Structures are given as C-alpha cells and as structure tokens.
C-alpha cells in the first residue's frame, strides 16, 4: 500500500467518525482519551491472564506433582501403619492435599470434560513427571480436583486437590480494582477536560455576540492553554480593529458630507443672485437634491454606533411605528406571534422598521406588519399592495441614493437612503433585510434578526 492510499484510508475513517460521533468537543476529546485507554487495559489484562496466568498455573501443577511424588516415596519407604497415618495427617495439614488409599484399579484415562486450563496443566505435569497410571476428574465440584494414582503395590491413591493450590488467586479482585481505578481516573479526566474547555466556550459566546452586534464580554484568560489564550487575544484585537474601521468609515463620510454643505450653500447664494432662467432653475433643483442627500446621510451617520443593545419589547417599537404611520393615511395592520423581548438597539431598530413602513405607505394603500419569533431569530415582514419592485432590482434598491424613479419626484421616493439604512441596522444586529413579492400584490420586505 502506498502512502497516499493509507492517508486516504485514514481520511475516510476520520470522516466516518466525524459523522457518527457526538458534536461537542468535550465528548470527542473524552472519547479520544478513553477509548485507547480502555483498549490498552483490555489488551494488557488479556495478555496478563493468558501468558502469565498459564505460566503460574504450569508451575503450580509441577509443584503439585512433586509433592505427590514425595508422598508416594514416603509411603513406600515407611510402610508401617503409624507412619502411614502420619503421612495422611501431614499431607492434609501442611500440603493441603487430602489423601486416602484403597485397594483397586484407577479408572481408564479420559480427556477433561470441558476446557479447563488448570486441569489441562495438571494433566500435562502428571503425564510428564509421574510415570504412573492416573485418572483426573475436574468435574467433582466443591472447588476441588480429584486425582487417582495407581501405586505399584496394587493400591490406589485418591487425592483431593483444592483449587487454591493450583491458581494464583481470584481474578475478581483484580477486575474490581481495575474498574474502580478506571472510574476514578475517568472522573478526574472529565473534570480537567471541562476546565480546559470553558475558555473555548466563552470564546464561542463572545464571537456569537460580536456577530449580533452586542456587547462582547472581555476575554481575559490568565490560565488555560496557550492556543486558547492566543485565540482570545486575536479575537480581542480583531474586535477592536473592526470597531475602529467602522467608526473611521462613518466619521470620514460624515466629515466629507459636512464639508460639502459650505460650497453648496455658496452655490445656492450665487444662483439666487443670477437672473432667473430655466437653466438656473434646474441647477438650483440639483443643488437642493444634493443638500437633501447630504442631510439624509448626516442624519444617519449621527445616530450610528453610539447606541448599546438592551433587552427591548419589540412589540412596543412596532406599535410606535404603526401609530406614527396611521397618522399619515391608508390602513396599517399589525400582528405579532410569540415573545417579543429581544436584545437590540431600540432607536436603530425603530428607524429600520419606520423606513420600510414609510416605503410601503408611499407605494401602496394597505400595509401589513407582522412579527414572528422563531427558534433562532425574530422575523419582521412589511407587506404592501403597491406596484412592487422587479426582482432584478432587489439588490439595486439597497444601494445608497438609488431610486427606481430617477425623476426625484417626492411622490415616488425620497433621497434613496431608506433601504440602505434599514439593511445597515439589520446587519449591525447580525441580521439581514431581503425583498420578495408580497401576497398583497406589492413588495414584501423581510427583516431577520438573530436572537
Ligand atoms: N414598497 C415599495 N414598493 C415599490 N417600490 C419601492 C418600495 N420600497 C422602495 N421602493 C423603491 O426602492 C427605492 C429605494 O428605496 P429607499 O427607501 O432606499 O429610498 P427612498 O424611499 O427613495 O428614499 P428615503 O427612504 O431615503 O426617503 C425607492 O426609490 C423606490 O423606487
Ligand atoms: Mg424610503
């Protein structure tokens, strides 16, 4: 297999894991730590039991057969009854071997009934070291093994061997100790991991707040990992730069607009001194237009940036806007669904909705204003029954000073900043303004504000 193929295989495994594992960093990090740990434990336990366990059992079986040989030799060397009684007693007390003798023949050899590593080892040791006919029964219960050995004098030696002589203790304690230790370590791992992840969570919250134009909590991490601290510092710098650049743009445009007012005023004065003619009238109309555009921009720039988002009842803002609009003319309908308490800049938001409603009123007779709270955002729609806007112009009308009707007729529009400002306000809340066809027949403006 080439390196590329291996890399691709790993990539595919990672993708599969990505799709099927939990979504939080915390859970994943735990899995990444815990799974190898468990595998390692299982493997080492298995190795320990199969290798070391076999070894120990093997030694114990050999020792058992040596003891048996010793007993057999003692018995043939000291054949009197007193010595034989002594052998039985001592072997039970000191060797934990329960021996008895009887006349007869051992049963014919047979394989152990089920797989039993202890019986297998004992059988192997007996075959290798005893050199006498024997019978092994590993199925008598009571945690014992029965060995029958044919002695040369026609006697049979029955030996009951307790399992404790043949195994190296219960594995239950080992398993419990391992599990307990694993649980303790697991708990510690969870605790430490949580601590490490808290700053990342904070960073996420702060980034989210920044995107919604809200107040961003200060991220001063003294502890934590270097990566997280670096990310926090970078975020902090980015936030400051962002704010500064927005401020700079607004201030510069405001400065230019402000300075344009003086030459405009001078032009107006000069025009007034000229004898009246169609040309001068056109010129003075243009100058008035420019003045209105500049005033419009200045009015917008003045309110920019100095308002802080606060918890606001959006329905009150909508009521306000509608109350103002009803004073003009036509019918304005207002409905809302769900909790309307949202964190936003009330004055800016009021301007946004007012602009949309005044557009609707200017172009249509009936206006409908609706607000709905969804899971992640609040959506405000403004519908009218006017002529609407051709879909190919949906983006154009958001450009500053753009008007569909270029005649500068006050009936068909103002300076052309209304939609620009509305979108600017929505974006400063992390939201957006979009246009669509209204079920009423005219234009539908949709404001979406994330919550
Ligand atoms: N509801 C609407 N129906 C039809 N056309 C619209 C509607 N709203 C806006 N427009 C068109 O989009 C253009 C831009 O609208 P925008 O609100 O930005 O500026 P304006 O209304 O002309 O001026 P301003 O709002 O600054 O007084 C308008 O000139 C108009 O042609
Ligand atoms: Mg407008």
């Amino acid at each position: 297999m080439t390196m590329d193929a291996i890399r691709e295989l790993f990539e595919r495994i990672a993708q599969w894991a990505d799709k099927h594992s939990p979504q939080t960093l915390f859970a994943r990090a735990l899995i990444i730590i815990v799974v190898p740990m468990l595998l390692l434990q299982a493997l080492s336990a298995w190795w320990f039991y199969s290798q070391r366990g076999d070894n120990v059992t093997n030694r114990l079986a050999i020792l058992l057969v040596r003891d048996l040989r010793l007993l057999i030799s003692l018995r043939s060397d000291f054949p009197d009854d007193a010595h034989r009684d002594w052998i039985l007693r001592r072997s039970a007390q000191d060797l934990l071997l329960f021996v008895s003798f009887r006349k007869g023949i051992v049963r014919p050899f047979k394989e152990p009934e089920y797989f039993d590593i202890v019986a297998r080892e004992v059988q192997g040791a007996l075959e290798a070291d005893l050199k006498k006919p024997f019978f092994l029964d590993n199925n008598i219960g009571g945690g014992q093994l029965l060995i029958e050995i044919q002695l040369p004098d026609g006697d049979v030696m029955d030996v009951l061997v307790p399992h404790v002589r043949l195994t190296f203790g219960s594995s239950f304690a080992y398993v419990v100790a391992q599990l307990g230790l694993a649980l303790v370590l697991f708990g510690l791992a969870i605790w430490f991991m949580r601590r490490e992840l808290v700053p990342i969570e904070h960073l996420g919250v702060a980034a989210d707040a920044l995107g919604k134009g809200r107040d961003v909590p200060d991220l001063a991490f003294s502890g934590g990992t270097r990566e997280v601290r670096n990310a926090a510092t970078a975020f902090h710098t980015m936030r400051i730069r962002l704010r500064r650049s927005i401020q700079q743009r607004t201030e510069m445009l405001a400065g230019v607009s402000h300075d344009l007012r003086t030459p405009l005023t001078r032009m107006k004065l000069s025009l007034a001194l000229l004898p009246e003619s169609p040309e001068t009238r056109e010129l003075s109309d243009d100058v008035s237009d420019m003045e209105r555009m500049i005033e419009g921009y200045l009015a917008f720039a003045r309110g920019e940036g100095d308002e802080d988002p606060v918890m606001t009842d959006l329905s009150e803002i909508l009521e306000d806007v509608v109350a103002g609009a009803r004073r003009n003319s036509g019918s304005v309908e207002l409905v809302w669904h769900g909790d309307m308490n949202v964190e936003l800049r009330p004055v800016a938001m009021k301007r946004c909705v007012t602009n949309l409603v005044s557009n609707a009123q200017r172009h249509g007779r009936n206006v409908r204003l609706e607000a709905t709270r969804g899971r992640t955002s609040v959506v405000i729609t403004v519908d009218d029954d006017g002529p609407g806007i051709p879909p190919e112009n949906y983006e154009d009308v958001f450009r500053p000073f753009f008007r569909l009707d270029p005649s500068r007729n006050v009936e068909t529009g103002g300076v052309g900043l209304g939609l620009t400002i509305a979108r600017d306000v929505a974006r400063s809340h992390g939201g957006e303004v979009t246009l669509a066809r209204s079920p009423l027949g005219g234009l539908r403006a949709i404001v979406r504000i994330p919550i």
Side-chain angles (χ1 to χ4, degrees):
M1 236 204 274
T2 63
M3 277 307 282
D4 277 348
I6 295 176
R7 202 171 299 139
E8 196 176 315
L9 180 72
F10 268 84
E11 190 53 42
R12 214 170 301 152
I13 292 176
Q15 275 174 11
W16 180 88
D18 192 39
K19 217 186 287 168
H20 292 87
S21 54
Q23 291 301 307
T24 62
L25 179 59
F26 173 67
R28 283 192 186 190
L30 269 190
I31 289 178
I32 290 173
I33 292 176
V34 166
V35 167
M37 196 173 87
L38 284 182
L39 273 180
L40 187 71
Q41 281 237 343
L43 266 177
S44 65
W46 173 79
W47 183 83
F48 184 73
Y49 272 100
S50 65
Q51 303 295 308
R52 301 266 317 162
D54 279 8
N55 254 332
V56 172
T57 313
N58 178 266
R59 295 284 163 83
L60 290 172
I62 289 173
L63 290 178
L64 170 71
V65 175
R66 298 236 170 103
D67 285 350
L68 291 177
R69 274 173 49 186
L70 175 71
L71 288 178
I72 292 168
S73 314
L74 280 175
R75 184 170 190 272
S76 66
D77 288 353
F78 303 96
D80 57 296
D81 282 349
H83 274 107
R84 287 193 169 176
D85 280 350
W86 181 87
I87 291 172
L88 293 187
R89 248 190 1 250
R90 292 262 66 96
S91 66
Q93 277 181 10
D94 297 339
L95 298 178
L96 228 63
L97 295 175
F98 302 94
V99 181
S100 58
F101 295 95
R102 61 180 159 90
K103 285 261 165 273
I105 337 176
V106 300
R107 286 176 270 173
F109 172 81
K110 77 173 176 38
E111 284 286 335
E113 267 177 30
Y114 49 87
F115 179 79
D116 176 349
I117 177 176
V118 172
R120 208 182 62 213
E121 291 292 345
V122 170
Q123 184 172 324
L126 286 168
E127 273 164 11
D129 215 17
L130 191 67
K131 311 260 178 349
K132 285 185 178 56
F134 68 90
F135 176 81
L136 182 72
D137 195 345
N138 66 342
N139 201 14
I140 58 166
Q144 287 177 323
L145 209 64
L146 173 67
I147 304 172
E148 298 174 7
I149 298 166
Q150 187 75 59
L151 299 182
D153 57 4
D155 280 359
V156 172
M157 176 178 173
D158 290 331
V159 191
L160 280 173
V161 189
H163 257 144
V164 283
R165 270 215 54 158
L166 294 166
T167 55
F168 65 119
S170 153
S171 51
F172 184 68
Y174 176 75
V175 170
V176 168
Q178 285 235 330
L179 277 182
L181 205 62
L183 276 181
V184 170
L185 291 178
F186 192 58
L188 281 177
I190 289 180
W191 189 74
F192 277 108
M193 189 83 78
R194 270 248 160 274
R195 265 178 64 90
E196 290 306 321
L197 291 185
V198 164
I200 298 184
E201 264 165 38
H202 285 177
L203 202 56
V205 170
D208 186 53
L210 183 71
K212 291 174 183 167
R214 296 187 188 154
D215 222 16
V216 179
D218 212 11
L219 294 167
F221 301 137
S222 48
T225 55
R226 187 173 357 130
E227 288 86 346
V228 174
R229 262 179 297 154
N230 285 351
T233 314
F235 178 81
H236 192 67
T237 322
M238 179 187 84
R239 192 186 81 187
I240 291 174
R241 255 192 227 145
L242 208 61
R243 178 173 291 176
R244 209 181 286 151
S245 89
I246 292 174
Q247 214 170 2
Q248 201 173 345
R249 185 202 65 177
T250 317
E251 275 169 10
M252 193 186 80
L253 281 173
V256 170
S257 309
H258 189 266
D259 289 355
L260 277 177
R261 287 207 297 199
T262 321
L264 274 179
T265 314
R266 238 182 287 143
M267 279 162 83
K268 245 166 76 177
L269 277 178
S270 310
L271 276 170
L273 293 180
L274 285 178
E276 204 165 305
S277 71
E279 285 80 22
T280 53
R281 213 170 305 127
E282 229 172 77
L283 210 53
S284 82
D285 276 356
D286 280 348
V287 169
S288 308
D289 272 351
M290 283 173 78
E291 256 190 327
R292 277 198 298 143
M293 285 160 81
I294 284 171
E295 290 304 330
Y297 178 75
L298 282 177
F300 159 65
R302 255 196 301 277
E304 187 59 356
D306 50 8
E307 192 184 5
D308 283 328
V310 286
M311 255 307 165
T312 317
D313 187 353
L314 184 58
S315 65
E316 271 175 26
I317 294 183
L318 298 180
E319 295 265 25
D320 259 16
V321 173
V322 168
R326 279 184 184 141
R327 255 174 261 135
N328 298 343
S329 65
S331 84
V332 185
E333 194 189 337
L334 169 66
V335 276
W336 70 80
H337 318 280
D339 176 17
M340 285 289 124
N341 283 303
V342 189
E343 189 173 347
L344 43 77
R345 300 184 174 84
V347 177
M349 187 49 66
K350 185 175 173 189
R351 176 148 37 163
C352 168
V353 181
T354 307
N355 287 357
L356 297 175
V357 170
S358 78
N359 278 356
Q361 272 194 312
R362 185 181 275 148
H363 298 278
R365 299 183 56 77
N366 297 302
V367 179
R368 191 182 142 86
L369 187 59
E370 182 170 354
T372 315
R373 187 191 188 97
R375 210 167 49 79
T376 57
S377 58
V378 167
V379 176
I380 307 167
T381 56
V382 183
D383 288 300
D384 68 61
D385 56 356
I389 296 178
E392 63 268 22
N393 288 122
Y394 280 172
E395 275 311 304
D396 295 331
V397 291
F398 284 105
R399 294 213 313 265
F401 308 118
F402 182 93
R403 302 174 30 148
L404 279 183
D405 174 15
S407 71
R408 306 240 169 258
N409 179 348
V410 187
E411 285 297 305
T412 60
V415 286
L417 274 177
L419 285 173
T420 316
I421 292 171
R423 177 171 264 183
D424 196 84
V425 169
R427 285 188 175 168
S428 79
H429 288 83
E432 185 55 293
V433 179
T434 48
L435 300 178
R437 277 192 62 83
S438 166
L440 297 186
L443 186 75
R444 161 175 281 186
I446 305 152
V447 186
R448 205 188 54 78
I449 304 291
I451 45 180

